[in-house]
Amino acid sequence: CQAATGQFIVIASAHVYPIYQDWIEKLLAPFKDPKIALTYGKQRGNETSKYSEHQIFATWFPDQSVHVRNQDYPFCNNANAAIRRSLWEDVPYDETLTGLEDLDWAKRIMPLGYRIAYVPAAEIIHVHEETPKRIYNRYRREAIALKQIYPQEDFHFWDFLRLFTTNVVSDYYHAWHDGVFKPNLQSIPIFRLMQFWGTYQGFAQRGLVSNRLRQTFYYPRSLSRYQNTFSYDNRRLIDYGSSAKSSEQVY
C-alpha cells in the first residue's frame, strides 16, 4: 500500500482470479460516494474447493446485497477489495495482527463517518487447496486476531460444539439438495471440525463482537433455498483459456 500512487488501492489475494472483464470497474464504482472508505466483492470457489467453503462463500458473499451503502458492521475481506488511499495513509492497516487486518481497519474507520460497500457484481474465484491442518491454522490465526480486535471476546467449548454441529447439519442439508451429499460425507465434518476447533483454540477472552458480525463469521447458511435472479448475460467473461493459448504461442 505504501508504494501506491493512485486514488484507490485495489487488493486481491494471491490465489484469486476475477471472472468478468469489468471487475475493477464494478469494485470502484461505489467510491463515487465520498463517504465510502472500502469496497469488497463477491467470492466463489472452484471445483477444488471444499463443499463447506462454498457454503461459507455463499453466506459471507451473497448474490444480492441488501446493504450496498448501509452496512452497519465492519465485515469486509481483503481477498477482493479496494480502499481509499487517502484514508489508508491516515489510518494504516495494523500489520502486527495475525489476520483480519481488513476488519480491524473497517472497525476503526467507520466511527469516523465512513462506510463499507459490498459489491456482488465484482466477483472473483478464490482457490483454497488446504489440508485439514492448514484449515485449522487459518482459523486459529484469525481467531487470535479477532480476540485482539475485540479483546474481551470469548469462544467457549459449548460454542465449538454448537457451531460445529449446526454447520455440519446445514452443510449436509444443502449437499443433499445439491445432489452431492455422498461425495462430501467425510469432507464436511472434517472441514467444520478444523474450522471451529481452530477458532476455539485461538480464542481466550470475552468481548463485544456484535451479533451481526458473529453471524457473518460463524453461523451456518440459511436453510431457505432460492435461485439467483441476477443475470450477467451482457457482461464479458474473461477467457483464461485463450490467454493460456496465447502464452503458449509466444513461448
Side-chain angles (χ1 to χ4, degrees), residues 33-37 69 87 106-116:
D33 182 343
K35 286 298 183 179
I36 295 297
R69 296 290 190 277
L87 292 179
K107 176 177 176 285
R108 289 184 287 137
I109 210 71
M110 290 180 72
L112 301 180
Y114 293 95
R115 298 193 299 277
I116 308 300

Side-chain angles (χ1 to χ4, degrees), residues 20 42 63 120-123 228 230-236:
Y20 300 103
K42 183 166 70 173
D63 290 319
E123 183 175 354
N228 180 17
F230 273 136
S231 174
Y232 297 126
D233 292 342
N234 295 326
R235 297 177 63 193
R236 297 178 61 190

Side-chain angles (χ1 to χ4, degrees), residues 1-239:
C1 290
Q2 291 179 343
T5 58
Q7 187 177 0
F8 308 109
I9 301 172
V10 175
I11 305 171
S13 169
H15 38 94
V16 307
Y17 57 90
I19 297 178
Y20 300 103
Q21 295 184 10
D22 59 355
W23 162 64
I24 291 182
E25 178 184 342
K26 296 293 185 182
L27 193 62
L28 297 181
F31 286 110
K32 294 176 182 178
D33 182 343
K35 286 298 183 179
I36 295 297
L38 180 149
T39 65
Y40 66 102
K42 183 166 70 173
Q43 299 182 34
R44 289 293 179 265
N46 67 356
E47 64 279 358
T48 67
S49 301
K50 302 291 192 297
Y51 186 81
S52 294
E53 187 105 63
H54 285 294
Q55 301 310 297
I56 291 173
F57 286 146
T59 301
W60 289 7
F61 311 105
D63 290 319
Q64 302 182 39
S65 176
V66 297
H67 49 236
V68 172
R69 296 290 190 277
N70 298 302
Q71 182 172 313
D72 57 359
Y73 60 105
F75 177 78
C76 56
N77 193 289
N78 260 356
N80 178 24
I83 60 175
R84 199 176 291 275
R85 184 170 66 91
S86 59
L87 292 179
W88 181 88
E89 290 176 340
D90 292 336
V91 185
Y93 279 3
D94 182 356
E95 297 186 14
T96 65
L97 293 169
T98 57
L100 304 183
E101 64 282 351
D102 42 7
L103 184 149
D104 173 70
W105 190 82
K107 176 177 176 285
R108 289 184 287 137
I109 210 71
M110 290 180 72
L112 301 180
Y114 293 95
R115 298 193 299 277
I116 308 300
Y118 171 55
V119 189
E123 183 175 354
I124 55 89
I125 299 298
H126 195 157
V127 182
H128 272 147
E129 297 183 88
E130 297 175 310
T131 63
K133 183 177 180 180
R134 292 186 67 181
I135 295 170
Y136 165 83
N137 286 336
R138 172 158 61 99
Y139 283 99
R140 180 175 180 271
R141 173 176 54 81
E142 291 183 351
I144 291 171
L146 191 56
K147 74 177 181 181
Q148 288 183 259
I149 299 169
Y150 295 93
Q152 297 178 340
E153 175 62 6
D154 205 351
F155 192 92
H156 297 288
F157 187 71
W158 166 246
D159 295 316
F160 159 71
L161 291 177
R162 176 173 54 86
L163 292 172
F164 167 72
T165 302
T166 56
N167 277 273
V168 168
V169 170
S170 174
D171 289 355
Y172 277 156
Y173 171 85
H174 287 287
W176 179 269
H177 284 274
D178 290 338
V180 293
F181 178 80
K182 189 174 181 180
N184 294 285
L185 188 62
Q186 290 185 328
S187 68
I188 285 173
I190 290 173
F191 182 97
R192 293 301 189 177
L193 177 64
M194 294 299 99
Q195 177 190 8
F196 290 111
W197 187 245
T199 300
Y200 174 69
Q201 292 293 327
F203 265 87
Q205 298 177 341
R206 190 173 183 82
L208 301 175
V209 176
S210 69
N211 289 333
R212 186 68 179 276
L213 186 58
R214 180 184 285 270
Q215 289 173 3
T216 301
F217 266 118
Y218 298 125
Y219 279 46
R221 182 182 173 188
S222 168
L223 297 184
S224 60
R225 304 286 295 179
Y226 62 89
Q227 292 184 339
N228 180 17
T229 57
F230 273 136
S231 174
Y232 297 126
D233 292 342
N234 295 326
R235 297 177 63 193
R236 297 178 61 190
L237 292 167
I238 297 176
D239 188 348

